[in-house]
Amino acid sequence: MGLLRTMMPPRIQLLAVLAFGVAMLLIENQIQRLDESRAKLERTIARHEVAEVELRHTEDGGVRELAPLAENNDMVIIYNRVPKTASTSFTNIAYDLCGKNLFHVLHINTTKNNPVMSLQDQVRFVQNVTTWREMKPGFYHGHVAYLDFSKYGVKGKPMYINVVRDPIERLVSYYYFLRFGDDYRPGLRRRKQGDKKTFDECVSSGGSDCAPEKLWLQIPFFCGHHSECWNAGSKWALEQAKYNLVNEYLLVGVTEELEDFIMILEAALPRFFKGATELYRTGKRSHLRKTTEKKPPTKETIAKLQQSNIWKMENEFYEFALEQFQFVRAHAVREKDGELYVLAQSFFYEKIYPK
């Protein structure tokens, strides 16, 4: 072969090399097409096999799809709602859907809205949630700090969800709520009713209702029932709250993007939230509760609060929650023509054996 190559003119050698290269490219292209065809065939077969597994005949001879995993009637969701984060708006949706979607909604009403339970109440609550079969599937909501069910030796943990809000906006809303109430129960007298001092005036005069310590709420709600969680400015509490948010909560939304939060929940847990997005967009109850007589704080007031280490920690936690939510949303929905759409299922099963 070497002798033959030396006897061939250079031009012929070049053409031979080019012809060989083109032939190899054609062969590789054919192999790639065959691989793609094989993969497509495997996906088609896999979908057919999964469809056969998922379909069952009804008593009248018809065919229906099996209910999704979320149909599990032992499912429990706990929404340990932070005050003034649009929690009433979201909870109203659950109340509107519970009859249609066949689940129970239970309000956790603690004495004086104390978010920390006694040890004996912790045990009672855990036992109720895990063994109260008549209330399953259940949606529990209330202003209660996170409770780690794994500490109590029970089988099965509930799924936690929550919503957080910009810490200063949340505090301003709560400040005026205590003085003027809202349009949910306008006739109810609040404990600070009659106090006409604005939030700006409160901060300027160093009032207790607008002190930086009042910002310390979202971190302890996620941190839980440890004593250090309620030590304002605790770095340990901040890190524990972050850990729980990532590891113990199915989803944590933000008030400013509540509709996106509801949309993702409906896609992930249709057993509870089927129809929630449309209800939020068109319903009246979901937009009902608004604090009255609320005056936005000045830049000077905001700057003064932002000097506090407590604000810095609460804001760090809020930014952490916001980043995590936006990450989840980016992998769950897409925007088209100004509207958000939930992504369809992007995984499938194949090579299912035995046949």
Side-chain angles (χ1 to χ4, degrees):
M1 181 68 181
L3 179 61
L4 180 62
R5 186 169 59 248
T6 58
M7 294 175 61
M8 295 173 62
R11 187 175 180 181
I12 300 300
Q13 291 183 31
L14 178 60
L15 290 174
V17 171
L18 289 175
F20 179 77
V22 171
M24 290 300 298
L25 287 174
L26 290 173
I27 293 173
E28 289 181 0
N29 187 47
Q30 286 296 106
I31 293 174
Q32 183 178 355
R33 288 185 177 181
L34 287 173
D35 286 340
E36 291 175 353
S37 298
R38 179 184 56 80
K40 185 176 180 180
L41 178 61
E42 287 181 351
R43 286 196 295 268
T44 302
I45 293 173
R47 291 193 182 101
H48 178 70
E49 290 174 342
V50 172
E52 288 184 340
V53 172
E54 289 182 340
L55 293 176
R56 293 292 185 271
H57 292 277
T58 56
E59 292 181 358
D60 58 2
V63 177
R64 67 175 178 87
E65 289 189 3
L66 278 180
L69 179 63
E71 193 69 32
N72 186 342
N73 285 332
D74 286 335
M75 184 180 294
V76 172
I77 296 174
I78 295 181
Y79 173 34
N80 63 317
R81 43 194 283 198
V82 179
K84 304 313 295 178
T85 58
S87 61
T88 299
S89 297
F90 176 61
T91 303
N92 278 338
I93 293 176
Y95 277 110
D96 286 343
L97 289 175
C98 64
K100 179 181 178 181
N101 292 346
L102 303 179
F103 64 91
H104 302 274
V105 181
L106 300 90
H107 178 217
I108 311 165
N109 189 353
T110 60
T111 304
K112 296 183 179 179
N113 287 325
N114 187 352
V116 177
M117 293 182 177
S118 67
L119 182 60
Q120 56 270 34
D121 277 347
Q122 294 176 41
V123 174
R124 294 185 187 108
F125 179 68
V126 170
Q127 290 177 342
N128 288 157
V129 170
T130 54
T131 64
W132 198 358
R133 299 199 61 83
E134 291 80 6
M135 290 296 110
K136 292 181 179 180
F139 180 93
Y140 292 74
H141 68 96
H143 297 314
V144 180
Y146 168 76
L147 195 62
D148 182 5
F149 275 58
S150 63
K151 291 172 55 177
Y152 302 89
V154 295
K155 293 182 179 179
K157 295 170 62 174
M159 288 188 294
Y160 274 90
I161 61 172
N162 216 326
V163 177
V164 295
R165 186 177 184 180
D166 176 274
I168 291 181
E169 291 184 3
R170 194 209 65 79
L171 179 58
V172 171
S173 181
Y174 188 64
Y175 177 88
Y176 285 107
F177 168 73
L178 293 179
R179 285 154 177 77
F180 300 101
D182 54 28
D183 53 3
Y184 187 59
R185 289 184 290 177
L188 182 63
R189 183 177 179 85
R190 304 294 174 181
R191 60 185 177 91
K192 290 289 183 176
Q193 188 168 333
D195 181 4
K196 303 296 185 181
K197 184 184 294 184
T198 67
F199 187 81
D200 290 327
E201 292 170 343
C202 178
V203 172
S204 178
S205 62
S208 60
D209 286 347
C210 55
E213 288 75 15
K214 294 295 184 179
L215 292 166
W216 191 258
L217 191 69
Q218 297 187 133
I219 287 175
F221 258 73
F222 279 79
C223 180
H225 279 67
H226 306 285
S227 61
E228 187 66 14
C229 296
W230 300 89
N231 184 8
S234 168
K235 183 68 175 177
W236 182 90
L238 169 60
E239 296 305 320
Q240 185 65 34
K242 287 182 178 180
Y243 176 88
N244 287 343
L245 184 148
V246 171
N247 293 282
E248 304 296 342
Y249 282 77
L250 174 70
L251 184 65
V252 176
V254 294
T255 303
E256 298 80 2
E257 299 171 5
L258 188 62
E259 182 177 328
D260 298 355
F261 170 74
I262 293 170
M263 181 184 296
I264 296 172
L265 274 181
E266 180 174 358
L269 299 175
R271 175 66 179 83
F272 284 80
F273 299 107
K274 184 178 181 181
T277 306
E278 184 66 20
L279 186 62
Y280 177 79
R281 290 171 175 171
T282 61
K284 295 181 180 180
R285 294 185 67 196
S286 61
H287 300 279
L288 182 61
R289 194 165 198 171
K290 293 181 177 64
T291 301
T292 56
E293 300 291 332
K294 185 169 65 175
K295 182 179 179 181
T298 63
K299 293 181 179 179
E300 292 76 16
T301 296
I302 294 174
K304 187 172 183 178
L305 286 173
Q306 288 178 343
Q307 295 174 5
S308 164
N309 286 330
I310 293 177
W311 173 82
K312 292 176 182 177
M313 287 188 176
E314 276 281 347
N315 190 65
E316 180 180 339
F317 177 72
Y318 169 75
E319 293 289 346
F320 179 84
L322 177 60
E323 181 181 6
Q324 175 66 15
F325 175 69
Q326 290 178 339
F327 178 83
V328 172
R329 183 180 62 185
H331 290 79
V333 299
R334 287 289 182 271
E335 184 174 352
K336 182 180 180 181
D337 299 328
E339 294 288 335
L340 288 178
Y341 297 89
V342 175
L343 291 176
Q345 181 172 313
S346 60
F347 74 93
F348 61 92
Y349 303 102
E350 61 181 6
K351 300 178 182 178
I352 302 173
Y353 291 90
K355 297 293 187 180

